[in-house]
Amino acid sequence: MKVSVNWLRDYLPIALPASQLAEKISRTAVEIEGQYQPKGNMKKVVIAKVLSVVPHPDSDHMVITQLDAGEDEPIQVVTGAPNVAEGQTVILAKHGSVIGDNKKIRKGKLRGEVSNGMLAALQELGFEDKVAPKDFEEGIWVFNDVDAADLKPGEDALTVLGLDDDVLETGITPNRADLFSMNGTAWEVAAILSEEPTLPNFELTETAEQTSDLISATAPAELATKYAVRVVKNVTVKDSPLWLQRRLWTMGIRPISNIVDITNYMLLMYGQPMHAFDLNALPEPEVHVRRAHDKEMIRTLDGVTREAAAEDIVIASGDEALMFAGVMGGETTEVTRETTDIVLEGAIFEPKSIRHTARDQNLHSEASMRFERGVNVEDTFTALDHAAALVAELAGGQVTAGRVVAQDYAYEAPVVDVSVDRVNHVLGTNITTAEISAIFDRLFFDYEENNGVFSVTIPARRWDITIEADLIEEIARLYGFDNLPATLPTGETTPGKLTPKQQLIRDSRHALEGLGLNQAISYVLTTPEKANRFKLHDGEPIQLDYPMSQDRQQTRSSLLTGLLDDVAYNVARKQTDVALYEQGRVFVSDGDLTKQPAEIEHIAGVLSGNVTERTWAQKAQAADFYMLKGIVERLLKNYDFVEPIHFVANTVREDMHPGRTADIYVGNTLIGFVGQIHPTTAKVYRINETFAFELDLDAIIALPKNQGRYEVISRYPAVSRDLAILVNRDVPASRIEEAIQQAGGKHLHDIVTFDVYTGENVPSDMKSIAFGLTFINAEQTMLDDETNQTVDRIASALAEQFGAEIR
């Protein structure tokens, strides 16, 4: 929230520079995210009165003005402002001035006529369009007659407009919603500076006419814990006086009209959102709070027709829904310049429904933000009365007698106990009873103290305090966090280390990075279409009740959907060579919404484009199935499973190429898959030929593994043998390698498949596979007879298991 220091000085005698005040607030209450003066480095911008306006002799859209700027002679300025007129009080950026965006104004000639400055609009002084009043978007700023009467030509316009004010931007945490108001901020700063705030007061004069004779109101307690309305008749809707507009735009709110500005002023002062209806535009002389009818249509003040949901709270009159309660008003009862009688509404609405409406309609307003976090229940009707008094003062209206109260309740202040011993035990301090009493006095909390135990009555303005720990926090921050003693932790210390699961996950990431893949981090949430792709587990993704967007509705069942989005992002930007991996969790539900979904650790990777670049010595190497399979095999070999790893062709895995996809098993346990993304799926993502794998790390962690041990490098030479066999085409090479490993004995050190042949001299249903076998005996040199016997044993095993023929 933006906080005006000048406004804050209406409550407190603040002598500190704004920077020191900001530091005290930041060290005691909430973070200060920014501090600035709106005027920046602007200078030489003054108030001027237009003495005359004559057409430019050489232009049909510019005029020549003579201005009284408090100097001995009038200043001539040529301008194209469409709304300039004689007698106006305006803003003049003189020769040598600096205005918004560090723009320097110099004298010069426009179409041959001397111009000694520029007449300025608020936007040219750095005002954003969303803050500058609408009436002056197409022309210069003109002060109204009432405000102009108090201004003198030559006076500093930056001061008049409040641009020399110091503005603090506070980063308010959810528990300190009381700081969403100037009153709440004043109480907080008063406690910090040990001062007593002077809260605003007002006088409300009512006519004899009863409000209840003009309008009725109803509100169920489950939708609005407080609800009341007032009526002000015979108002004149016009621009607000400068002091009110200045306060609004300093706080980041655009002035609209005196009625609307007063409701926004109450929002900033009390933190109490309010709304004004045109009484004569109501379908019936009554308002009531109710749930919206399903698909009920409401045209809001931003000119958009919106469809309400059954969970929304609306304000209705007769059968017509007028507005989304606590979020945004409706266009049909909007206060306009023709409005004469208004209804002011003050309420506290049910927070969850307000939050639902704001998210569902994407209408996050200043009002909804406060209703969601809470407002001071004792200020609701006070703000309503204050607003009515201001309408009478600034719009010349007559306030009818009494409020029409549809719902109300009496605030019962909770009493929270805390002891001096408990405070010192938690904070590690030696704070005395007198010091704690002084802190509660600074906070203006009523309390009773008995033998070191404080019974503190919590005022309505601090609804965040409910338990003992909250009071201890209040004591700690006003005592000063810097004054708390620094101590080392006590107790037995243990060396920190990763759990086996954490170590395996970290080693997996490092292995893939060493193999040339870069880490990616994707969103956990995705679309319903993508959420069901590449699934490894039974179950369904989780649907969010309030998704942040249409693209983030369900939890992912696979990491590959996010990685393919990353590939598509790169390809769209002409980065076609992509090698990525991601490690994270997928979420699967068994359909029982009373239980937490399963969170399963996965790791996945993708290759697309070239894996090596073209150089003078070699051609570029494109990614293919075997390249990615080799990466996966290297990763799996690091785990050192007890059971063998084998790949089984899968022709039915959805979204994967039916002829280039294999499931990965360790023993009989499915741990993942590897293959090419189906061309149809690749076309949906608008990516080139892409290869991918995904592994279930939780399944991998659960599988038995060999204990790593050091093997002494043999001093004796290795013996190599080649073995070529004919075998049926349908027999996977991996199964043959497993059989060779089992029959080869303890001295078989390595197996390499170096040739696969089909074609001439080989039957059409057969294939020739050649393996390179390496034998090592760590204790002695292997003899030829021993090696030959082992090779014969392997050949016999292959013939028996697969009907293999030795070539």
Side-chain angles (χ1 to χ4, degrees), residues 388-406:
L390 274 176
V391 170
E393 177 185 347
L394 303 182
Q398 291 85 48
V399 183
T400 59
R403 313 183 202 106
V404 172
V405 179

Side-chain angles (χ1 to χ4, degrees), residues 421-467:
D421 290 341
R422 179 62 177 166
V423 170
N424 287 322
H425 173 75
V426 172
L427 301 181
T429 54
N430 292 306
I431 304 176
T432 65
T433 302
E435 288 174 314
I436 294 177
S437 296
I439 288 172
F440 288 147
D441 288 338
R442 290 166 60 186
L443 289 165
F444 294 93
F445 287 177
D446 293 332
Y447 62 90
E448 293 181 0
E449 185 269 325
N450 186 17
N451 295 325
V453 177
F454 286 86
S455 296
V456 184
T457 302
I458 309 303
R461 58 185 167 81
R462 289 301 306 274
W463 61 92
D464 59 304
I465 300 176
T466 57
I467 59 176

Side-chain angles (χ1 to χ4, degrees), residues 133-153:
K134 291 182 180 179
D135 289 351
F136 298 95
E137 287 179 340
E138 301 298 330
I140 60 172
W141 173 262
V142 179
F143 294 95
N144 63 45
D145 294 340
V146 175
D147 293 327
D150 297 327
L151 301 177
K152 296 180 179 179

